């Protein structure tokens, strides 16, 4: 067997080819006993854990890849991928429990929208104030949110391409999910800025050490700063509670009046039962 070809070397432990950059070798040779750093136990775990266990006094504790805290999933790899996936599953569970009510023809669309926002969306967006959402995370939430809304209207698969989600949101009296997330983040941002406790310390904390190659993940603070810029709140002082809350509400109302995102005060009459 050839154990070395061009830029890769064969690992005896995991039986896989390892690229030269990941092998730790300066020069590739035909070594039949080569083992990669993962098989030797010296590589960082794939799930993002810096180490597999820590020593606290005389006790040895395992470092887990994920942890559930107050309903929010914390991942050692950072980001909110696991958190959004978990909350979407919870929302679908609540949605299926309430589907007889949400699809009832005896209730108006506005009433169904209120029930959906209170019971289903609140479960989906639990702890979303602290999520540094990326574009794939937002698309994941919006995709599932709109799928539930189409079920409320009983939209057939053949009509999905011609049915606009913004029109369905208007009939239900709901705002776009992206606007709701921005408002929640900015309100929590004002609370953090006014705080003098641990959350303010964590926000201003500078992490020492060198980072890896590539662009780092966007932090929650960077996401909220982008939200402030989008809603023109950069000059609004978050330390003034009343001014900040009023500014966020005004920006929310202005954003909800954009084309395709407006809400209507006219309720839609329920479809009579057959």
């Amino acid at each position: 067997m050839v154990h070395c070809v061009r830029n890769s070397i064969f690992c005896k432990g995991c039986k896989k080819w390892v690229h030269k950059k990941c092998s730790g070798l300066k020069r590739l040779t035909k070594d039949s006993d080569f083992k990669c750093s993962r098989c030797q136990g010296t590589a960082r775990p794939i799930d993002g854990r810096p180490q597999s266990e820590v020593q606290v006094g005389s006790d040895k504790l395992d470092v887990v890849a994920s942890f559930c805290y107050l309903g929010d999933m914390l991942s050692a790899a950072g980001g909110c991928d696991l958190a959004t996936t978990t909350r979407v599953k919870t929302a679908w569970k609540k949605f299926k429990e309430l589907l007889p009510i949400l699809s009832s023809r005896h209730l108006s669309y506005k009433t169904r929208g209120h029930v959906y926002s209170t019971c289903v969306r609140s479960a989906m967006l639990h702890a979303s104030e602290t999520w540094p959402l990326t574009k794939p995370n937002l698309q994941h939430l919006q995709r599932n949110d709109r799928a539930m809304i189409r079920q409320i209207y009983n939209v057939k698969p053949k009509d999905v391409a011609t049915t606009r989600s913004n029109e369905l949101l208007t009939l239900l009296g709901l705002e776009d999910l992206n606007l709701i997330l921005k408002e929640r983040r900015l309100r929590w941002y004002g609370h953090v800025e006014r705080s003098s406790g641990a959350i303010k310390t964590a926000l201003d904390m500078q992490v020492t050490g060198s980072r890896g190659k590539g662009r780092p993940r966007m932090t929650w603070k960077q996401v909220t700063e982008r939200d402030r810029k989008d809603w023109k709140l950069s000059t609004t002082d978050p330390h003034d509670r009343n001014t900040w809350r009023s500014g966020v509400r005004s920006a929310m109302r202005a954003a909800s009046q954009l084309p395709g995102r407006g809400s209507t005060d006219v309720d839609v009459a329920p479809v009579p039962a057959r």
Side-chain angles (χ1 to χ4, degrees):
M1 177 184 293
V2 179
H3 296 278
C4 178
V5 292
R6 293 189 179 182
N7 295 329
S8 301
I9 186 170
F10 190 77
C11 175
K12 180 182 178 182
C14 59
K15 308 298 181 182
K16 295 181 179 179
W17 290 95
V18 182
H19 196 273
K20 177 183 177 182
K21 294 181 179 179
C22 303
S23 65
L25 302 175
K26 294 183 178 180
R27 183 177 180 181
L28 297 181
T29 58
K30 296 182 180 180
D31 186 2
S32 59
D33 296 328
F34 171 78
K35 287 187 178 181
C36 63
S37 57
R38 196 163 301 282
C39 293
Q40 295 175 4
T42 58
R44 182 174 179 173
I46 300 177
D47 52 27
R49 289 177 291 170
Q51 53 194 33
S52 58
E53 57 185 21
V54 293
Q55 189 75 28
V56 180
S58 59
D59 299 326
K60 184 176 291 185
L61 304 179
D62 294 333
V63 178
V64 296
S66 60
F67 179 73
C68 181
Y69 179 71
L70 298 178
D72 190 20
M73 294 299 297
L74 306 179
S75 176
C80 56
D81 297 343
L82 183 59
T84 54
T85 301
T86 302
R87 299 318 305 175
V88 164
K89 291 180 180 179
T90 303
W92 273 110
K93 181 180 178 181
K94 296 295 182 182
F95 178 78
K96 291 178 181 179
E97 292 175 356
L98 296 171
L99 189 57
I101 298 176
L102 294 173
S103 60
S104 174
R105 295 187 176 185
H106 298 282
L107 299 177
S108 66
Y109 285 137
K110 283 295 182 65
T111 302
R112 293 188 231 174
H114 182 70
V115 174
Y116 175 78
S117 176
T118 304
C119 301
V120 181
R121 264 192 174 179
S122 59
M124 180 186 292
L125 303 182
H126 174 71
S128 61
E129 298 90 345
T130 61
W131 293 346
L133 281 176
T134 61
K135 189 174 182 179
N137 295 146
L138 177 60
Q139 291 175 344
H140 183 206
L141 293 171
Q142 287 181 322
R143 185 165 56 249
N144 286 274
D145 178 67
R146 291 171 181 175
M148 296 179 197
I149 290 174
R150 286 195 295 268
Q151 284 197 32
I152 295 176
Y153 279 91
N154 194 24
V155 177
K156 303 299 180 182
K158 62 179 180 180
D159 299 328
V160 171
T162 58
T163 304
R164 298 185 60 184
S165 297
N166 290 332
E167 295 177 357
L168 302 183
L169 289 172
T170 300
L171 292 175
L172 286 175
L174 298 174
E175 297 292 350
D176 188 83
L177 198 67
N178 188 26
L179 299 181
I180 301 294
L181 287 165
K182 280 188 177 183
E183 183 187 27
R184 292 167 72 102
R185 280 197 302 267
L186 289 173
R187 292 187 65 176
W188 180 249
Y189 174 80
H191 174 70
V192 173
E193 284 292 329
R194 292 188 297 271
S195 174
S196 58
I199 54 176
K200 177 63 174 177
T201 304
L203 181 67
D204 298 333
M205 182 176 59
Q206 297 293 333
V207 180
T208 59
S210 59
R211 63 177 183 86
K213 296 181 179 179
R215 178 181 176 181
R217 294 174 180 264
M218 285 192 68
T219 62
W220 178 81
K221 188 174 183 179
Q222 291 173 332
V223 174
T224 52
E225 290 294 339
R226 182 185 60 189
D227 294 339
R228 292 185 66 182
K229 183 178 180 181
D230 292 343
W231 280 9
K232 299 179 181 179
L233 295 172
S234 300
T235 58
T236 306
D237 185 13
H239 295 89
D240 188 340
R241 184 175 183 272
N242 294 330
T243 302
W244 178 255
R245 288 173 65 91
S246 176
V248 172
R249 283 197 297 264
S250 300
M252 178 66 177
R253 286 194 298 267
S256 63
Q257 293 173 1
L258 293 175
R261 294 183 181 177
S263 59
T264 177
D265 296 331
V266 180
D267 200 356
V268 181
V271 180
R274 296 180 180 178

